[in-house]
Amino acid sequence: MGELSFEEVDGFEVPGALNGEKIELPSDSFEGSSTHVTEHIYIIFSESISIKKGIKAIEDKVLSGKRLDIRRQDETGHGIVAVVSRGERIEIEKLSEVASLKIEKAANTL
């Protein structure tokens, strides 16, 4: 069975939620607050770089030599689907080897 984890959010009271009342979270509660949330992302590499070299660049420049968790490789679209943390995704977007990046969905965290 998987583990649940919770992140403490400042700025709102819990008792109302426990009584069934609707609670509005602060707008910045989750956006950018945690770099540990995992995401499925679709990475399209620049035309001038092979998929293999693009993966290597991510592993070397962003993951400090760790292997990238690749779920699917798309030769036609010149890209891959991978699971990374939010912080890693932000760094991957900055690479010159990456033409574009799309977040498919948040991954289940166990």
Side-chain angles (χ1 to χ4, degrees), residues 8-12 26 28-29:
E8 185 174 335
V9 178
D10 295 327
F12 74 97
D28 62 348
S29 295

Side-chain angles (χ1 to χ4, degrees), residues 6 10 12-14 21 26 40 48 55 66 84-85 108:
F6 298 93
D10 295 327
F12 74 97
E13 297 292 324
V14 174
E21 297 172 20
H40 282 90
S48 61
I55 293 168
K66 292 187 302 181
V84 298
S85 72
N108 292 330

Side-chain angles (χ1 to χ4, degrees), residues 43 45 49-63 65-75 78-82 92 95 97-98:
I43 304 166
F45 295 106
I49 190 161
S50 69
I51 292 175
K52 185 175 180 178
K53 286 184 180 180
I55 293 168
K56 179 83 169 118
I58 292 170
E59 291 174 343
D60 290 347
K61 296 177 182 178
V62 177
L63 303 178
K66 292 187 302 181
R67 293 192 53 103
L68 181 61
D69 183 2
I70 301 170
R71 300 300 170 101
R72 184 171 51 91
Q73 189 165 321
D74 180 11
E75 296 292 336
H78 199 59
I80 60 171
V81 174
I92 291 169
L95 295 176
E97 293 86 354
V98 175

